[in-house]
Amino acid sequence: MRRPYSAPTWSGITAIVLLCAGGRSAAQESAYPGVQGFAGELVRTGSYLLEPADRPTVDGLNRRLREARGRQREASGEAKARAVAEETEAAKELLAILEANKHAVRVAIDGEKITPAHGGAVTLPGDAGAILLRVSRGDGPTRFVTLAHDMSQVAGEDVRIVIDPVPPGTTWALAALSNVPVKRSSLIVEFARDNWRMRLPLDVHAPELGRLKVTILSADTGRPAPAMVRLVWKTMNLERTPANAIEFAPQFDQQGNPSGRRRVQIPNHPGEPFWCVPGPIDMLVPPGEWEIHVLRGLEHAGVSDSFTVASGGLTEKSYTPARWVDMRKLGWYSGDDHVHCRILSDDDARRLMAWVQAEGIQVANVVKMGDINRTWFEQRGWGKAYRVIEGDTVLSPGQECPRTHQQLGHTLAMNTTSMVRDTDRYYIYEEVADAVHAQGGLWGYAHVLSKSFFVDRDMSINVPKGKADFVELMQFGALGTELYYDFLNTGFKVTASAGSDVPWGGTVGEVRLYAYVGDGPFKVDDWFAAVKKGRTFTTNGPMLEFRVDEALPGDERIVKDDRKLRVRARAWGDPRRLVPVRLEIVRHGEVIRSAESTDPMRKELALDFEVQAGHGFWIAARARGSDGSVAHTTPVYVIREGLRFWKFDEVEALLARRAASLEEVEKIVAEATRRRDQGGFTADRAKQQLAVQGPELLQRVAAARKIYDDLKQVAERERPLRTPAK
Amino acid sequence: MSGAQSRPGTARGGGFRVVVGPVFWAVMIGWAGAAPTAGHDALGDSLRHEISLIVGPALIDVRVEVTFFQFNALLERRRMDADLDGRISPAESRAYLEKQAPMLEGGLRLTVDGRPVELAPLYDPRLDLPEEAAAASSHVLRLDAFARTPPWLAAGSQVVVEDLLWPRVPAIVSLEAAGRDGVRMLSEPVTEPAAGPDAAGVRRLRARCLGVPESARPASPPASDRPIVDVAGPSATGPRSFTDLWAGKVYFSVLILVLAGVAAAAAARRRQGAPS
């Protein structure tokens, strides 16, 4: 692997010199060392130790302490003195609350005597908790320390918590314990002073756990269904992994975020991780207050609930996340074009199927990934025999390959019958596209939204040849259209698609494409056919309907003259999840009509107007949701007979950009050839093969350039036909 | 036997260490930035910055989760693993975080309608290091910060989180914004998720305030608070780790000169047979 971190030698020496030199602190030390960290942990995990009335007070004190600390670092002179005073004042208020705390274990060290001799019994709220200790050792300043101790990680039989050092004065310690056995455990708290330690035996008592049973039901069938679940033990603000949560790590080949703990976008709960559970949860949990969040994909409202689990008791909960829309009933079925997950067994397939069902998409394009050196995310096979189908949910094998990072970009294939991969002809993407098409599959480009990995280069070679069926416009919660619009504006039809790219993305279906298959029982081949036709929109929130006269996205609307066309668009959501805040109609990349709403209860935005066909254009709808989500349709192509639907006024600049991309390909081939001829690249197969395959690649570049040159001629021929449009 | 070692909370010195941190990380970042194709490399060489912004009438909470994938994850683990035993002990992860603290604390800024708002850490940074071997190629660093909601927050206000964390390492950045207690927020779409930072090393993520109910108008901050920094000048609460780089360079240059002088003097004394 190339070393991405390289640096001039002097830089490394500089760092080492400076680190070795150490340094004398010139800043004023806090009068209460450690108070910020202590206050933060007390708020975050130890607030149950505080009286309810004190909890917001301590939260406020933590914030004041940290602000004061920051100002001390930034300020000088009088301002710094003021910040120190602020910190001291807040620390004193915190101390007053701690001194009155009835949970604190108070210990006095006097010479070689420790009082009391036994710390007594500390009752924890569950299998985790914290011990608050006040240790006084004569006169001296007050300091604060925090500790964390996982009792499942004890190598021997003794459990020792070491507070090191305990200098003269008062030490407040907050020791967080986790994985504490039920009922009584005896442990030792060691106080280090000078060259020896004093020991305080202490018991902790963890209550009996409670049993929690949670069933998530499908709104469609009323039966238990897979779901994405987040469980939080509110007493200590700790996440708890559901007992039957699926761990996907072994299926992720150490790539991306290789864990079953997935971040899911949910309004008002940003950044929170969820686990996929395939069915009812039945587990023992610590007693106390609990919070649960349940998701079943974009078409359902989320469920959030709080409940109490009693020690030794049974708590049963059942949730049915409500659908706010069932796109299937409107003929639209959803998919994710970019799911990486190893499937080598029925068990592998079952786990991924549960995830896909939990997120409520119908088609997952499960892609084996490759580069010129190797592959990842192995699959059992390709084609219909290796589809995994359960109801109307389908796992369909595909591939992300060829895939070059510094040369031509990443590509995707769906609905193939074999893996198409020849590393001796790796840079000739066109051949892969042809092979995929020969298999009846679909071929397109990944990461187009962000123009990643120089994908524009191969798009400039193969889109004009009609090789690309789709491009990824949405990923990682974002929509990117710049490159897409360039190709549309040049008069090339390309379908909008979306893919999560898990395990790099958050969760399957977090961005998705919907394809219109119409009425009747769902058949995945119809879905692929609909994608091929371009009858799609992409979204991570609002739903979209768009028609020009009766034409759907991907359709051509061919007109003989400059007639009126009726444009209808609708974006909708639901206040339980999101509502549309803006709907736009985009023609040749420019917004020609829009509707907006700031009403959080307004479910729908609609536009219905007429537009002149003019000389033809592409026209699409896009929308934004109140949670920041976005949606975009594939365009309807309005084609005036005898003319391209391109953005004629910008053709010169558009073609120049494509020419620039082609020149880049020529440059990287020339550079690779030069380096190869000089004996380089002995260990870099990607670049070495670029030199080897370069001549053939350049033939493809020349063919593409010929197309663009021809388009310049087309533009000249069209010019006199394009009288000023109305 | 096992034992949990205590540590003093967040107390840190300034002075020399204030200079060491920025320079050290500048070097490290320079190292990362030296990659010839940074910004166009594989996703596995990118970081993921997932930023959550929750705006309420009194407080604004910002959480950043930086996910390290594959190469970067292994590189950071190697930095944590001081005893090279292949496992990251709590003490090692604490030491790692303490070393990083200056950079992390200066790695986020906040503006509301273009006016800087003081952002302070809410909790100490945390590391989520999977123990399972199958997931060891990824870990998450969590940062929590907060600000006092400025009185000028209103419907239509633009809230911008400025992310200066690892500015030279390719990153996929995202922002999720939410309101609290009646405040309504909308994230602006990030249209270029893999885009790099601007020339100053800043990634800007934007959200718009859709509404602040009259009943939830932000209260005036206490007199002792200092939420506003002079709009015209550079942010006084800016990231010391980066904006103080010049100061660090000057300090470093002086240090080198002093060390060179001392060494030269010592050599001269040795040559003259003087007692050292």
Side-chain angles (χ1 to χ4, degrees), chain A residues 46-58 97 100-103:
Chain A
S47 64
Y48 77 92
L49 292 165
L50 301 167
E51 294 298 320
D54 288 337
R55 291 170 193 168
T57 308
V58 174
I97 290 171
N101 189 282
K102 61 187 181 190
H103 297 287

Side-chain angles (χ1 to χ4, degrees), chain B residues 2 5 8 14 28 31 45 48 51 63 67 86 94 102 107 145-146 169 228 239 243 245 248-249 251 272 274:
Chain B
S2 77
Q5 296 291 325
M28 290 299 133
W31 231 316
D45 285 346
R48 184 93 187 258
I51 303 175
R63 168 175 286 188
T67 306
R94 276 201 302 271
F146 78 100
V169 181
I228 306 171
T243 55
L245 275 179
K249 285 177 181 172
Y251 196 105
Q272 294 164 5

Side-chain angles (χ1 to χ4, degrees), chain A residues 1-7 11-12 14-15 18-19 21-27 29 33-34 36-37 40 43-44 60 62-64 66-67 69 71 73-74 86 143-149 153-156 158-165 197 249-250 254-258 261 263 265-266 268 270-271 405-406 447 449-454 476 478-480 482 501 504-506 581 598 600 624-628 630, chain B residues 1-17 20 23-24 27-28 30-32 34-37 40-45 48 50 52-54 59 61 65 67 69-72 75 79 87 105 118 120-124 126 128 133-138 142 146 148 169 172 174 176-179 184-194 208 210 224-226 236-238 240 252 255-256 259:
Chain A
M1 179 186 281
R2 178 186 56 79
R3 283 189 60 203
Y5 292 0
S6 61
S11 301
T14 302
L18 288 170
L19 282 174
R24 180 182 55 83
S25 168
E29 283 296 338
Q36 283 85 5
V43 170
R44 204 173 61 81
N62 174 47
R63 293 173 193 266
R64 282 172 54 194
R66 288 171 182 274
E67 285 174 322
R69 192 68 182 148
R71 288 169 195 167
R73 284 199 300 270
E74 301 296 337
E86 285 169 11
R143 65 193 284 274
F144 297 83
V145 295
T146 57
L147 310 88
H149 192 85
Q153 299 295 315
V154 179
D158 289 353
V159 178
R160 297 188 186 206
I161 297 171
V162 182
I163 301 177
D164 182 9
R197 292 180 175 189
Q254 296 266 18
Q255 300 294 299
N257 168 25
R261 185 174 178 268
R263 292 170 60 92
Q265 291 185 9
I266 172 173
N268 298 317
H405 310 320
Q406 296 166 34
H447 317 305
L449 70 152
S450 50
K451 299 187 283 182
S452 296
F453 314 118
F454 306 101
F476 308 139
L479 167 75
E482 187 181 332
D501 199 8
W504 286 272
V581 294
T598 55
R624 286 183 56 196
S626 53
D627 58 350
V630 281
Chain B
M1 188 192 96
S2 77
Q5 296 291 325
S6 63
R7 61 172 173 135
T10 56
R12 282 191 314 281
F16 192 83
R17 290 174 63 188
V20 170
V23 174
F24 173 71
V27 170
M28 290 299 133
W31 231 316
T37 58
H40 294 283
D41 216 329
L43 291 178
D45 285 346
R48 184 93 187 258
E50 292 170 283
S52 308
L53 173 74
I54 300 177
L59 296 166
D61 288 335
E65 297 199 352
T67 306
F69 299 119
Q70 292 156 253
F71 184 83
N72 287 312
L75 190 72
R79 288 178 177 150
R87 291 195 68 222
E105 288 176 13
E118 181 184 353
L122 181 58
Y123 306 121
D124 290 350
R126 284 172 292 152
D128 185 358
S137 63
S138 167
R142 290 187 172 75
F146 78 100
R148 309 279 173 186
V169 181
I172 299 158
S174 61
E176 290 180 66
R184 290 187 298 120
M185 295 296 299
L186 175 68
S187 313
E188 300 281 344
V190 180
T191 53
E192 299 293 342
R208 191 155 52 96
L210 297 177
S224 63
D225 285 334
R226 194 197 60 178
T237 59
R240 198 179 57 247
F252 174 68
L255 174 71
I256 292 295
L259 288 174

Side-chain angles (χ1 to χ4, degrees), chain B residues 101-128:
Chain B
M103 188 274 282
L104 298 177
E105 288 176 13
L108 288 175
R109 294 191 304 213
L110 186 73
T111 65
V112 176
D113 290 333
R115 300 164 70 178
V117 177
E118 181 184 353
L119 202 57
L122 181 58
Y123 306 121
D124 290 350
R126 284 172 292 152
L127 271 174
D128 185 358

Side-chain angles (χ1 to χ4, degrees), chain B residues 49-237:
Chain B
H49 299 211
E50 292 170 283
I51 303 175
S52 308
L53 173 74
I54 300 177
V55 180
L59 296 166
I60 299 173
D61 288 335
V62 181
R63 168 175 286 188
V64 182
E65 297 199 352
V66 182
T67 306
F68 295 79
F69 299 119
Q70 292 156 253
F71 184 83
N72 287 312
L74 297 172
L75 190 72
E76 294 301 311
R77 274 181 179 261
R78 200 173 64 191
R79 288 178 177 150
M80 294 173 209
D81 189 10
D83 60 7
L84 301 175
D85 69 346
R87 291 195 68 222
I88 311 299
S89 69
E92 285 172 329
S93 65
R94 276 201 302 271
Y96 170 81
L97 288 174
E98 281 170 10
K99 269 187 201 168
Q100 301 235 41
M103 188 274 282
L104 298 177
E105 288 176 13
L108 288 175
R109 294 191 304 213
L110 186 73
T111 65
V112 176
D113 290 333
R115 300 164 70 178
V117 177
E118 181 184 353
L119 202 57
L122 181 58
Y123 306 121
D124 290 350
R126 284 172 292 152
L127 271 174
D128 185 358
L129 286 166
E131 286 301 319
E132 301 81 13
S137 63
S138 167
H139 66 261
V140 179
L141 174 67
R142 290 187 172 75
L143 305 175
D144 289 280
F146 78 100
R148 309 279 173 186
T149 304
W152 64 85
L153 178 79
S157 287
Q158 192 179 53
V159 182
V160 179
V161 179
E162 296 182 349
D163 174 358
L164 296 97
L165 298 162
W166 288 276
R168 301 284 300 277
V169 181
I172 299 158
V173 293
S174 61
L175 173 73
E176 290 180 66
R180 184 169 54 199
D181 299 333
V183 177
R184 290 187 298 120
M185 295 296 299
L186 175 68
S187 313
E188 300 281 344
V190 180
T191 53
E192 299 293 342
D198 66 13
V202 183
R203 297 179 171 97
R204 290 185 176 79
L205 296 118
R206 296 173 171 82
R208 191 155 52 96
C209 179
L210 297 177
V212 182
E214 278 306 312
S215 60
R217 294 296 309 168
S220 294
S224 63
D225 285 334
R226 194 197 60 178
I228 306 171
V229 177
D230 185 4
V231 178
S235 168
T237 59

